[in-house]
């Protein structure tokens, strides 16, 4: 005899102060867009990105550089919310296949489900949780021995990761200082800071975000057991160390640089980017296209150098002479587009 399963527990509507939800977990309508379709247009009309989503940047420019065609095989190495992927997938129809990679085990299944709900089945989209440094292995596992027709990467973190305080990437709301793209691997930013010496922190700040006050901040942040363990504590420690000397505005810029530097450090972002760039020419078919979006000088410098070195070595037939930037309207509409730089390269035919 089968008993009726108990009814699911009723979810209580989160309470928030004032007239608008401010905290990520209070934005229950944006986080369930299928149940509240009207809310997305309202949020976008305010020039904001709905919670739990990501607005893809430089979309037309990326599509022009990658030129995806029906029947081709392409890679989106940083699937994120799938904003770019959705458009790439449409261009690959009929008969094409997109391999979507992401290091984030929490976000990837949500994005795969979103894209499947839009009608992209397993014959069109294959989603793999992996670091893009493993691109050659991912292609071999997919059986793409001849390489891909195009490879795309949109570096850094997504709005979903940044906005969720539990991931520890941002400082709008307090949360654990984690910052790992894959929270199941490696050291969180808090654990890294607690073990780091002042010289370690100074180096990370200098190398990863060109921090002019790296030495002073290195001494302030590497405090062993009392090193900052939450995003709020890290932001406050930077403000306390720099505010009196440099003023509040410059201290806020230093807070942003400190978050960027720690994120790059705990995810070894430059190491993985260099591995990816080194492997890229061999992962493209003759005539295959690569396009990479970067968001700060440390990333763009590496992409530029790798593409130029590949062209000198005869691996790339052509590379972007200059990076492409977002038009003023897109920058106004989506502040995340302002620092974005797009570079492309075309694999030589032989
Ligand atoms: C800027 S978002 C991509 C947004 C995406 N283009 C879209 O339109 O939704 C960057 C994504 O890359 C992922 N990522 C960052 N570094 C990675 C790496 N080394 N390997 C794989 N994924 C990575 C992050 O987890 C994040 O989801």
């Amino acid at each position: 005899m089968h008993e009726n399963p108990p009814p699911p527990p009723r979810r209580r509507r989160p309470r928030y102060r004032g007239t608008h939800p401010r905290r990520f977990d209070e934005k229950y309508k944006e986080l369930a867009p299928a149940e509240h379709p009207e809310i997305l247009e309202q949020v976008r009309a305010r020039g904001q990105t709905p919670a739990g989503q990501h607005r893809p940047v430089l979309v037309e420019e990326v599509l022009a550089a990658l030129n995806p065609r029906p029947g081709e095989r392409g890679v989106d190495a940083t699937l994120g919310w799938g904003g770019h992927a959705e458009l790439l997938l449409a261009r690959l129809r009929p008969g094409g296949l997109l391999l979507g990679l992401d290091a984030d085990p929490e976000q990837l299944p949500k994005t795969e489900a979103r894209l499947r709900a839009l009608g992209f089945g397993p014959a069109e989209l294959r989603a793999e949780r992996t670091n893009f440094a493993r691109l050659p292995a991912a292609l071999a596992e997919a059986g793409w021995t001849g390489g891909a027709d195009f490879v795309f990467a949109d570096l850094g973190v997504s709005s979903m990761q940044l906005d969720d305080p539990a991931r520890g990437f941002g400082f709008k709301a307090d949360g654990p200082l984690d910052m790992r793209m894959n929270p199941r691997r490696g050291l969180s930013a808090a654990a890294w800071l607690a073990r780091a010496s002042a010289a370690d922190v100074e180096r990370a700040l200098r190398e990863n975000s060109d921090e002019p006050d790296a030495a002073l901040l290195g001494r302030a942040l590497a405090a062993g057991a009392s090193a900052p363990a939450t995003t709020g504590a890290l932001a406050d420690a930077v403000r306390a160390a720099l505010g009196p000397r440099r003023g509040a505005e410059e201290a806020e810029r230093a807070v942003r640089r400190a978050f960027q530097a720690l994120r790059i450090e705990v995810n070894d972002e430059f190491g993985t980017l260099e591995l990816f760039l080194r492997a890229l020419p061999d992962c493209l078919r003759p005539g295959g296209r690569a396009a990479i979006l970067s968001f700060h000088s440390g990333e763009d410098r590496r992409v530029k150098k790798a593409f130029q070195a590949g062209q000198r070595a005869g691996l790339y037939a052509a590379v972007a002479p200059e990076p492409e930037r977002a038009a003023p309207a897109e920058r106004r509409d989506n502040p995340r587009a302002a620092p974005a730089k797009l570079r492309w390269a075309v694999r030589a035919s032989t």
Side-chain angles (χ1 to χ4, degrees):
M1 197 176 83
H2 296 286
E3 284 180 16
N4 286 335
R10 280 180 64 129
R11 265 188 297 148
R12 302 194 72 192
R13 204 190 96 170
R15 285 170 180 269
Y16 45 85
R17 277 160 292 162
T19 52
H20 293 294
R22 287 188 193 284
R23 289 200 346 240
F24 181 82
D25 55 349
E26 291 170 347
K27 297 183 179 182
Y28 66 98
K29 288 189 181 175
E30 292 167 48
L31 292 167
E35 291 165 40
H36 304 281
E38 75 295 346
I39 197 76
L40 300 187
E41 282 317 309
Q42 291 171 16
V43 175
R44 288 195 188 113
R46 295 202 299 268
Q48 294 169 351
T49 301
Q53 299 197 7
H54 177 94
R55 290 168 82 184
V57 307
L58 283 157
V59 164
E60 290 309 321
E61 293 81 355
V62 166
L63 290 174
L66 295 175
N67 189 19
R69 291 183 286 251
E72 286 192 333
R73 290 169 169 181
V75 178
D76 182 340
T78 53
L79 198 58
W81 187 67
H84 289 103
E86 196 178 321
L87 301 164
L88 296 171
L89 281 159
R91 299 277 185 109
L92 292 174
R93 277 181 166 162
L97 179 56
L98 186 76
L99 178 60
L101 313 178
D102 204 295
D104 187 333
E106 296 182 6
Q107 190 53 47
L108 184 71
K110 294 183 197 165
T111 296
E112 184 177 358
R114 189 182 84 77
L115 294 173
R116 296 265 181 259
L118 289 175
F120 299 108
E124 293 178 290
L125 168 69
R126 197 174 154 153
E128 296 287 339
R129 198 219 54 76
T130 192
N131 195 300
F132 59 53
R134 287 189 66 257
L135 179 63
L139 290 186
E141 282 154 23
W144 296 12
T145 45
D149 292 299
F150 65 83
V151 174
F152 171 58
D154 177 7
L155 302 175
V157 275
S158 66
S159 301
M160 299 86 66
Q161 292 166 324
L162 261 183
D163 291 347
D164 183 353
R167 302 297 302 270
F169 285 108
F171 52 94
K172 278 194 217 151
D174 200 16
L177 190 60
D178 193 310
M179 297 198 183
R180 286 170 293 179
M181 306 275 179
N182 180 353
R184 300 171 197 164
R185 284 239 172 106
L187 288 182
S188 69
W192 184 85
L193 258 188
R195 294 174 188 202
S197 66
D200 294 332
V201 181
E202 177 183 345
R203 181 204 47 77
L205 292 170
R206 201 185 305 285
E207 286 180 6
N208 299 347
S209 61
D210 302 319
E211 172 54 57
D213 285 304
L216 187 152
L217 285 175
R219 289 192 295 277
L221 300 180
S226 54
T230 67
T231 55
L234 173 62
D236 286 345
V238 174
R239 290 179 189 123
L242 278 194
R245 290 162 194 251
R246 304 270 182 259
E249 268 184 37
E250 179 50 27
E252 285 315 302
R253 282 193 280 275
V255 169
R256 276 192 285 279
R257 290 192 294 266
F259 273 76
Q260 176 182 308
L262 277 181
R263 193 199 82 205
I264 290 172
E265 194 65 27
V266 298
N267 294 293
D268 187 19
E269 289 184 30
F270 291 157
T272 53
L273 178 59
E274 283 172 7
L275 285 172
F276 171 76
L277 290 168
R278 219 174 297 148
L280 189 53
D282 284 339
C283 294
L284 289 167
R285 284 183 174 163
R289 290 85 61 199
I292 304 186
L293 274 170
S294 63
F295 292 85
H296 55 83
S297 58
E299 290 173 344
D300 182 57
R301 203 166 45 234
R302 284 170 170 83
V303 177
K304 175 180 167 181
K305 281 190 174 171
F307 281 1
Q308 288 177 344
Q311 189 177 31
R312 281 196 302 275
L315 296 169
Y316 292 124
V319 301
E322 293 297 329
E324 293 177 37
R325 310 291 303 261
E330 183 176 4
R331 290 166 181 236
R332 264 197 313 277
D333 218 34
N334 181 6
R336 225 187 140 263
K341 288 187 180 171
L342 175 70
R343 290 189 185 269
W344 52 260
V346 180
R347 180 75 169 92
S349 318
T350 49

